[in-house]
Amino acid sequence: FGTPRDLPPNKLPIGEDVLRCISNERYNLAVKVNNKRVSFGQVANTVAGKIVCLYNRASIPTVSDKRVVQLLTALHDKYYSLRKSHTRDKNKEVFKRNLDDFKKKCCLLFDIAACKCPIALECTCHKTPDQCQCICSITCTCEKLKKIPLLELKFIYSLRTHGIGKIGGVDLNETKKRAKSLQRKSRSSCPKPKVDVQVSETEQR
């Protein structure tokens, strides 16, 4: 999968990006502790934080940090298993199929979005995916905090389907709207203080 490197700063990572980042972080952490053995858990937690940060920049709600680490572990374990048996099994047809399947998987988005509801695109322009401006739609059954924002549907659809899409600059208007929405939710969720009304003896009479 190439040399170790950090995650691309302007796009959501594919499996290959994640594996290269794991190798990079393992090396960096080993240097910090004077080349002592670094557990995969330490590496996975660091890489998970970076991936979640990219998804946050793209305004895509994610699964829990624990689940991200589980997905990283599964990907790494599969990679390690194939690498370990490569010399012994590289000429076997079963191994070749498994390796090809894994390579294809690593070319896909490392998807940690909380919402996995199918996104539909009815293309009427017949342009290439990177030129198509047709609108995506979704019938989402997720709770509100897990829903993919409507503005990001085309972005996540293109990444999942074609591997196309980069994280753009910050939309200031949309950011302000979301900040106000969060403030309203915060105020509404805070319990109102109870007012203890004391009645004086004069008022009681």
Side-chain angles (χ1 to χ4, degrees), residues 4 10 27 43-44 49 70 84 95 105 119 123 125 134-135 138 155 161 165 172 184 187 189:
N10 60 347
Y27 173 79
V43 177
Q70 289 174 345
K84 188 177 180 181
F95 179 83
K105 181 180 179 181
I119 301 172
C123 181
C125 66
C134 297
I135 298 174
I138 186 172
F155 171 70
T161 310
L172 295 179
R184 287 196 298 269
R187 286 197 296 267
S189 62

Side-chain angles (χ1 to χ4, degrees), residues 51-184:
I51 298 173
V52 170
C53 183
L54 285 172
Y55 271 77
N56 288 341
R57 280 186 56 203
S59 302
I60 307 295
T62 63
V63 295
S64 67
D65 292 349
K66 181 179 179 180
R67 179 58 181 156
V68 178
V69 171
Q70 289 174 345
L71 292 171
L72 285 171
T73 303
L75 180 69
H76 178 264
D77 286 352
K78 182 64 176 177
Y79 165 73
Y80 185 79
S81 175
L82 288 169
R83 192 181 71 172
K84 188 177 180 181
S85 60
H86 180 266
T87 302
R88 183 190 64 209
D89 300 331
K90 62 182 179 181
N91 295 321
K92 296 180 180 179
E93 290 301 320
V94 174
F95 179 83
K96 290 179 180 179
R97 285 197 300 270
N98 289 338
L99 182 60
D100 287 341
D101 290 343
F102 184 71
K103 286 181 178 179
K104 290 177 183 177
K105 181 180 179 181
C106 286
C107 291
L108 300 176
L109 176 69
F110 186 76
D111 197 346
I112 62 167
C115 174
K116 295 296 191 295
C117 298
I119 301 172
L121 172 66
E122 293 186 10
C123 181
T124 56
C125 66
H126 305 296
K127 295 180 180 179
T128 57
D130 58 323
Q131 297 292 326
C132 176
Q133 297 296 322
C134 297
I135 298 174
C136 288
S137 61
I138 186 172
T139 303
C140 184
T141 57
C142 299
E143 58 186 77
K144 193 169 184 179
L145 291 177
K146 294 182 178 180
K147 291 180 181 292
I148 298 173
L150 293 178
L151 289 175
E152 309 300 341
L153 281 181
K154 185 65 178 293
F155 171 70
I156 197 71
Y157 173 85
S158 297
L159 278 169
R160 285 175 173 172
T161 310
H162 307 291
I164 299 172
K166 292 185 178 181
I167 301 173
V170 177
D171 187 329
L172 295 179
N173 291 331
E174 187 63 23
T175 301
K176 288 179 181 178
K177 288 180 183 178
R178 290 178 184 171
K180 289 181 180 179
S181 176
L182 288 173
Q183 287 176 357
R184 287 196 298 269

